[in-house]
Amino acid sequence: MNGNEGAEDQKEQRREEALARGAERRRQREGATAKEYPPSPLIQSIVKTLRHLSVDTEQIMDEVIVRTDPESLIETCKLLRETAELEFTYLRCLSAVDYVENIEVVYHLSSLEHPHKTVVKTQVPTESAELPSVVPIWRGADWHEREVHDLFGMAFTNHPNMSPLLLFDGFEGFPLRKSYKIPEQKEGLGG
Amino acid sequence: MDNIPSTEPVEFMLNVGPQHPATHGVLRLLIDVDGERISQVETHIGYLHRGTEKLCEGETFSQIISLFDRLDYVANFNMEMSYVMAVEKILGLDVPIRAEYIRVVTCELNRIASHLLFYGTLGLDIGAMTPVMYAFREREALQAYFESVSGARMMHNFFRVGGVKEDLPEGFLESLQSYLPKLKQAVQECDQLLTLNDIFLERTKGVGILEKVDAVDFAVSGPNLRASGVEHDIRRTEPYSIYPNLKFSIPTGTNGDSWDRYWVRMQEIQESIFIIEQCIDQIEPGPISGRTRTVIRPPKGEAYVRTESPRGDFGVYLVTEENKEQPYRIKMRSPSFCSLMALETMLQGEYLADAVTILGTLDFIMGEVDR
């Protein structure tokens, strides 16, 4: 049995490698190689502002990404909003992505005073999905957090009102988690 | 003596919606009124929630375009724009210049059509029957153009990753060029009907003020944000497509009241006409689609793209996996969703009769709010 499984694994691995090679060749043929984006000067000022916190900063394409742990999330957001040279006053988007073991909450920020933007990311384990709310920092996070609560089952502590927003009362499960399966449609009416 | 009515204020709760003509869709408001004044509002949404984000995870990249049509169903081209740009950003794909022009022309026409719908329905909301007739006459002409381009009056499914589905039909640009002066005149007529009308001014001036601070805090965008005095337009601050080549100004209000929100949109129609005129002058023959495969398998990555839809900043957050035909996650950041969040603050202290004006000038589309 073990030998068989090993062979299966190898086969699967070879298949994936072949697919990856094919994709790479295709991309080269179509001339669609990754575009070059100039390094953002924003990174230095973010690193300087957040130097006492445990954050990782990197640039992916044109976005500066700040990875933080849930404990320092509020402090990070506060500093990003209040520091004079950053002033991320505008919450572009708040969303979550389910990576099965972890749920990642993503805060897209931009500034109306300066022409720059950033992304704050934090991950929490799916079993204990809980984060502090950023509503005290950006009031616009209110419904976004309620939506993430509805669809991912993420609890936001300190949120003023965590009642269901998009789903009806009594809906079972968290639809945007990868583990959720869309129920089979029944025949006829009421499916 | 028991018959004498009490002069004590009585709190009364009024339920508006989810089926109500003034809510322009399925929005439910629980309004606490103190006499004629609104003391508190609770907004309930989700009646049109179709789980588009979940559906997207099971569709291929080219099938998803049709799902985006169904978000903001009066600005379909603008919805498709954000999505195809997000996929192109991950693929690192360049779009042929003619395709970009076709996209911008259709998007701006769509913006005009959307603002005309706003103009007509706002008139109806506050009791003016005529504006809707004028607005729909022009909207009908624009719909005919959409039909000639994409084959459908709504739900166009016209943009493709790497370009557009088809080239413009023969004689389209000439016909459009001769129509634009008529449109300009019609917009002017609309302007004369309502903008400085005494009753209209009375109903909208100083009504439903959205302060600049609140607007930014709630991440309100588009005409609603600009009416509050913030000069912020994605086409200018984060230019995409061919907008850097085009000249246009950004109309900005000062008071953030209902009249300013109306005025900004009326000015935007004229700016859009100006943009289309420039596009007609600049557009040149060429390919309309890049070299993409029918089955798109982008590399692992993520992209956030925002464009200026008629209602504001429409963002698409796309996360992909290596060699998958379906996206891992798509999040749509809809401008109406954020505008509606500010509604509770805006309605507080207003007259109940003005709630309809405020709902009308916020110009939200529930399809986009609930997704």
Side-chain angles (χ1 to χ4, degrees):
Chain A
M1 278 310 272
N2 266 345
N4 248 347
E5 265 176 30
E8 281 288 306
D9 278 355
Q10 268 185 357
K11 211 170 153 190
E12 184 63 23
Q13 203 185 338
R14 273 206 301 278
R15 197 178 148 264
E16 268 172 28
E17 277 170 13
L19 270 173
R21 274 200 304 276
E24 187 51 43
R25 270 204 305 277
R26 215 162 39 230
R27 249 167 255 147
Q28 280 171 1
R29 204 164 52 231
E30 283 158 12
T33 42
K35 265 191 202 143
E36 292 284 320
Y37 289 93
S40 168
L42 182 66
I43 289 194
Q44 274 89 45
S45 39
I46 289 185
V47 168
K48 204 179 94 207
T49 315
L50 304 174
R51 62 190 175 279
H52 61 286
L53 295 167
S54 59
V55 295
D56 290 327
T57 321
E58 64 167 320
Q59 184 176 354
I60 297 178
M61 294 210 271
D62 56 342
E63 303 272 11
V64 176
I65 294 176
V66 180
R67 286 201 174 80
T68 170
D69 43 15
E71 289 79 40
S72 35
L73 172 72
I74 292 293
E75 185 70 19
T76 308
C77 290
K78 253 195 197 129
L79 282 171
L80 286 178
R81 184 184 169 131
E82 283 156 18
T83 308
E85 55 185 316
L86 300 174
E87 286 185 289
F88 287 106
T89 47
Y90 195 84
L91 184 71
R92 280 189 282 164
C93 181
L94 194 164
S95 55
V97 189
D98 179 19
Y99 290 109
V100 188
E101 284 106 54
N102 295 308
I103 293 179
E104 186 174 73
V105 180
V106 188
Y107 305 80
H108 284 88
L109 311 174
S110 74
S111 172
L112 295 182
E113 286 78 13
H114 311 282
H116 56 217
K117 53 185 181 176
T118 187
V119 187
V120 177
K121 290 185 173 190
T122 186
Q123 286 204 350
V124 283
T126 312
E127 305 97 73
S128 56
E130 197 182 279
L131 267 181
S133 165
V134 293
V135 174
I137 305 170
W138 298 282
R139 263 191 295 164
D142 186 346
W143 282 14
H144 289 292
E145 286 186 348
R146 279 172 73 185
E147 186 190 322
V148 172
H149 173 72
D150 265 17
L151 305 175
F152 286 91
M154 169 82 67
F156 288 95
T157 51
N158 232 346
H159 189 282
N161 172 19
M162 205 81 267
S163 58
L165 182 74
L166 293 176
L167 303 178
F168 52 86
D169 287 327
F171 185 93
E172 299 248 332
F174 307 114
L176 274 181
R177 283 195 184 178
K178 291 287 170 189
S179 54
Y180 183 86
K181 293 277 169 287
I182 300 174
E184 290 275 319
Q185 207 152 31
K186 292 186 203 110
E187 297 261 327
L189 291 171
Chain B
M1 292 300 275
D2 288 352
N3 295 342
I4 298 171
S6 148
T7 50
E8 289 287 300
V10 185
E11 283 269 328
F12 181 79
M13 196 195 73
L14 185 73
N15 177 57
V16 182
Q19 307 288 343
H20 188 278
T23 57
H24 296 203
V26 277
L27 168 71
R28 180 170 173 231
L29 298 171
L30 292 174
I31 303 180
D32 284 338
V33 279
D34 181 0
E36 283 290 308
R37 294 271 181 190
I38 296 170
S39 54
Q40 211 191 338
V41 187
E42 212 183 299
T43 324
H44 288 260
I45 62 167
Y47 294 93
L48 202 58
H49 181 62
R50 295 149 291 178
T52 311
E53 287 170 13
K54 184 74 180 176
L55 288 176
C56 285
E57 288 174 16
E59 306 289 336
T60 63
F61 283 95
S62 18
Q63 287 171 331
I64 290 170
I65 301 171
S66 65
L67 288 173
F68 269 75
D69 278 332
R70 280 143 184 87
L71 294 176
D72 183 346
Y73 37 74
V74 293
N76 320 76
F77 284 124
N78 298 73
M79 297 290 109
E80 291 172 20
M81 183 81 173
S82 266
Y83 169 68
V84 291
M85 276 175 60
V87 183
E88 282 155 10
K89 190 172 171 187
I90 288 191
L91 282 169
L93 204 66
D94 284 320
V95 182
I97 191 80
R98 183 174 172 87
E100 293 279 25
Y101 273 102
I102 296 175
R103 282 181 184 182
V104 168
V105 168
T106 48
C107 279
E108 292 301 325
L109 281 175
N110 219 169
R111 191 187 309 278
I112 299 171
S114 166
H115 284 351
L116 281 173
L117 181 80
F118 157 81
Y119 168 82
T121 49
L122 177 68
L124 278 187
D125 281 346
I126 60 169
M129 262 310 278
T130 324
V132 73
M133 309 288 173
Y134 281 73
F136 268 71
R137 187 186 63 197
E138 297 317 314
R139 228 181 105 79
E140 199 52 44
L142 292 173
Q143 297 279 34
Y145 280 114
F146 296 154
E147 198 177 350
S148 73
V149 168
S150 68
R153 288 163 58 85
M154 292 175 92
M155 316 298 162
H156 311 294
N157 199 1
F158 179 64
F159 290 6
R160 292 288 180 273
V161 175
V164 290
K165 187 175 123 212
E166 275 168 68
D167 207 339
L168 295 172
E170 223 168 280
F172 177 87
L173 289 172
E174 293 75 21
S175 159
L176 192 61
Q177 197 161 25
S178 60
Y179 168 64
L180 284 180
K182 284 184 215 155
L183 180 63
K184 255 189 223 167
Q185 207 192 337
V187 172
Q188 214 172 359
E189 259 173 28
C190 291
D191 205 44
Q192 285 165 356
L193 262 179
L194 218 52
T195 309
L196 293 177
N197 180 307
D198 273 348
I199 306 169
F200 183 70
L201 284 173
E202 203 68 27
R203 289 291 312 264
T204 53
K205 266 280 174 199
V207 169
I209 293 174
L210 178 61
E211 298 288 344
K212 199 170 166 177
V213 192
D214 288 336
V216 175
D217 219 12
F218 280 118
V220 172
S221 54
N224 294 334
L225 179 66
R226 291 192 282 277
S228 297
V230 184
E231 198 182 319
H232 184 262
D233 190 319
I234 313 292
R235 292 174 291 175
R236 185 63 58 76
T237 50
E238 259 179 71
Y240 54 92
S241 192
I242 47 154
Y243 283 109
N245 306 345
L246 301 168
K247 287 192 206 83
F248 60 96
S249 60
I250 305 170
T252 311
T254 42
N255 307 319
D257 59 6
S258 294
W259 191 84
D260 277 5
R261 284 193 286 278
Y262 161 84
W263 181 84
V264 164
R265 289 194 175 87
M266 292 310 278
Q267 298 302 307
E268 270 184 21
I269 295 181
Q270 290 173 9
E271 290 305 322
S272 290
I273 297 175
F274 184 45
I275 290 176
I276 296 168
E277 283 173 343
Q278 292 174 59
C279 287
I280 293 175
D281 287 343
Q282 294 175 14
I283 193 165
E284 274 165 18
I288 49 132
S289 185
R291 291 178 60 191
T292 42
R293 300 176 76 86
T294 15
V295 180
I296 298 157
R297 288 198 187 87
K300 185 176 167 23
E302 58 171 67
Y304 185 85
V305 167
R306 55 209 298 230
T307 60
E308 187 75 22
S309 92
R311 261 147 280 278
D313 168 4
F314 179 65
V316 172
Y317 178 48
L318 176 66
V319 183
T320 54
E321 280 179 302
E322 188 73 42
N323 268 318
K324 280 278 158 62
E325 290 162 29
Q326 294 99 356
Y328 190 74
R329 165 99 168 97
I330 287 190
K331 155 87 185 176
M332 301 124 188
R333 185 265 192 218
S334 54
S336 302
F337 186 79
C338 298
S339 304
L340 213 50
M341 228 188 298
L343 183 70
E344 291 175 16
T345 320
M346 287 166 76
L347 281 179
Q348 261 165 32
E350 295 288 341
Y351 281 117
L352 181 61
D354 287 336
V356 177
T357 317
I358 296 166
L359 286 172
T361 51
L362 266 185
D363 189 29
F364 49 82
I365 292 290
M366 291 312 287
E368 192 195 31
V369 175
D370 293 341
R371 280 156 289 144

